Amino acid sequence: MHIAEGFLPPLHAAAWTAVAAPFVIHGTRAISRTIKEHPEAKLLLGAAGAFTFVLSAIKLPSVTGSSSHPTGTGLGAVIFRPPVMAALGTIVLLFQALLLAHGGLTTLGANVFSMAVVGPWVGYAAFRLLGRAPFSVRIFAAMALANLATYVMTATQLALAFPGQNGFVGAWSAFLGIFAITQVPLAVIEGLVGVLIFKALRSWAGPELSALGVFSRRRDHAGTKVDEAIHA
Amino acid sequence: MVLGTRQSTGDGETFIGTDSAATTHIEENHPGYTPWFQPIFEPSSGEVESGLFALQAALGAGALGFVLGTMRERRRQRRSAADDSSRPVSDPEPACDAAELQSRG
């Protein structure tokens, strides 16, 4: 989903940077607040960051004959809520832009918006909306949809920048053909990996996850505020 | 334009990354567009690039492994602490192991 350096017209690059910036700033604050309120969750925060770091580095071949990589942002979005992932995802994307020439600085805003903002929010929304489903189903949906939504967003960004003769819709389906189809099997894999890793986290860091309100939103834990915000 | 047919590039490579497939698509359909910014640093070859990707994966996996291991150990200690407090202090196990028995002949 990385849009290569220089491959967004200046106006688009600037616009996406402006759109993504508030999310990243809010996310940075969310991280420091989370650490202050839940110092015991630092390890989990590291796990969420590391997970995205690993998954976004692994390019996997897919059925369409092209290869792509998962994003791993659904995990952190479920545990810490999406704003935290906006900041963590930006770190990963910055690393890749500077050291791997993968993505870019001019396209960082657009890439942050698709991978670190849209993906996590869609994944988190899926997790919340499936509130009554079995836990592994919710995790699977969160991980897979965070992954897919990222690529749909990238296709949208490119179609907006390069509508071509067929207009936005034509360009959009062309870019979706490149990204999204390849991504479907990878999203399924990511969903399954997410279920496994969550099982591990659940048995090893159960108290921390409960304190963050991942499992017991409706019970009256430390996260009463979160409950109200969500159910309002 | 047909979905997913962009599997081979000029050098006959299959399983090309979707990121570069998108770039190729733009170059082909918008020949007038020139990228207006170049990466500050670019890995000097494909080998160097995949090495750096491997490094990223290794850093992430190392960190993830460390975190998971630490959490597992913490839980173990929490559990044994809980066990210790719920159980009266037991006598240490008699220190007689196989090696000792063997040396006694």
Side-chain angles (χ1 to χ4, degrees):
Chain A
M1 42 57 65
H2 298 80
I3 300 175
E5 184 78 284
F7 269 89
L8 273 185
L11 197 64
H12 285 255
W16 286 117
T17 307
V19 170
F23 286 96
V24 178
I25 294 167
H26 178 225
T28 317
R29 289 200 189 130
I31 287 188
S32 54
R33 201 176 46 237
T34 306
I35 290 178
K36 213 181 268 172
E37 285 171 12
H38 303 281
E40 76 285 354
K42 266 186 219 161
L43 274 178
L44 274 175
L45 197 65
F51 190 66
T52 292
F53 212 70
V54 184
L55 287 204
S56 66
I58 302 172
K59 292 193 193 176
L60 296 166
S62 183
V63 289
T64 51
S66 52
S67 60
S68 191
H69 58 84
T71 59
T73 53
L75 183 77
V78 167
I79 301 178
F80 291 106
R81 303 179 26 82
V84 168
M85 284 320 289
L88 290 183
T90 304
I91 297 171
V92 175
L93 287 167
L94 201 60
F95 177 92
Q96 292 179 326
L98 291 175
L99 289 178
L100 305 172
H102 203 64
L105 293 177
T106 61
T107 52
L108 187 65
N111 289 332
V112 164
F113 191 72
S114 61
M115 187 178 118
V117 177
V118 171
W121 273 107
V122 168
Y124 184 70
F127 181 77
R128 302 288 326 161
L129 288 174
L130 290 170
R132 297 190 185 279
F135 198 76
S136 40
V137 172
R138 300 171 69 193
I139 294 293
F140 178 86
M143 305 292 293
L145 289 178
N147 176 326
L148 263 185
T150 300
Y151 284 81
V152 171
M153 190 62 219
T154 304
T156 311
Q157 289 167 331
L158 286 174
L160 283 172
F162 299 98
Q165 308 100 314
N166 303 328
F168 171 76
V169 178
W172 194 55
S173 53
F175 283 114
L176 275 181
I178 293 173
F179 286 116
I181 310 289
T182 300
Q183 210 59 32
V184 170
L186 300 186
V188 172
I189 293 173
E190 181 168 347
L192 296 175
V193 171
V195 172
L196 286 181
I197 197 123
F198 233 95
K199 267 199 174 146
L201 290 180
R202 197 176 196 174
S203 59
W204 297 335
E208 286 91 339
L209 287 173
S210 295
L212 287 165
V214 179
F215 294 134
S216 46
R217 290 270 189 213
R218 271 163 219 152
R219 264 179 243 157
D220 223 82
H221 263 294
T224 8
K225 245 187 194 169
V226 181
D227 288 3
E228 286 162 11
I230 283 156
H231 292 291
Chain B
M1 288 295 226
V2 184
L3 304 185
T5 49
R6 225 157 272 281
Q7 22 189 294
S8 47
T9 51
D11 22 321
E13 212 180 342
T14 50
F15 291 116
I16 185 186
T18 50
D19 293 349
S20 43
T23 309
T24 317
H25 178 85
I26 295 169
E27 279 166 347
E28 280 171 6
N29 291 276
H30 302 268
Y33 185 82
T34 40
W36 56 282
F37 201 84
Q38 295 303 319
I40 296 168
F41 162 80
E42 213 162 349
S44 39
S45 74
E47 273 71 18
V48 176
E49 190 186 341
S50 41
L52 287 170
F53 265 102
L55 184 69
Q56 185 191 338
L59 287 174
L64 190 61
F66 173 77
V67 166
L68 290 179
T70 310
M71 289 193 303
R72 192 161 165 248
E73 179 61 21
R74 270 195 190 171
R75 187 192 63 145
R76 209 180 60 80
Q77 285 182 352
R78 252 192 312 235
R79 282 209 167 165
S80 62
D83 283 357
D84 285 351
S85 58
S86 63
R87 190 171 58 191
V89 183
S90 58
D91 295 332
E93 292 283 307
C96 178
D97 54 11
E100 205 180 342
L101 285 173
Q102 265 182 352
S103 67
R104 279 185 203 162

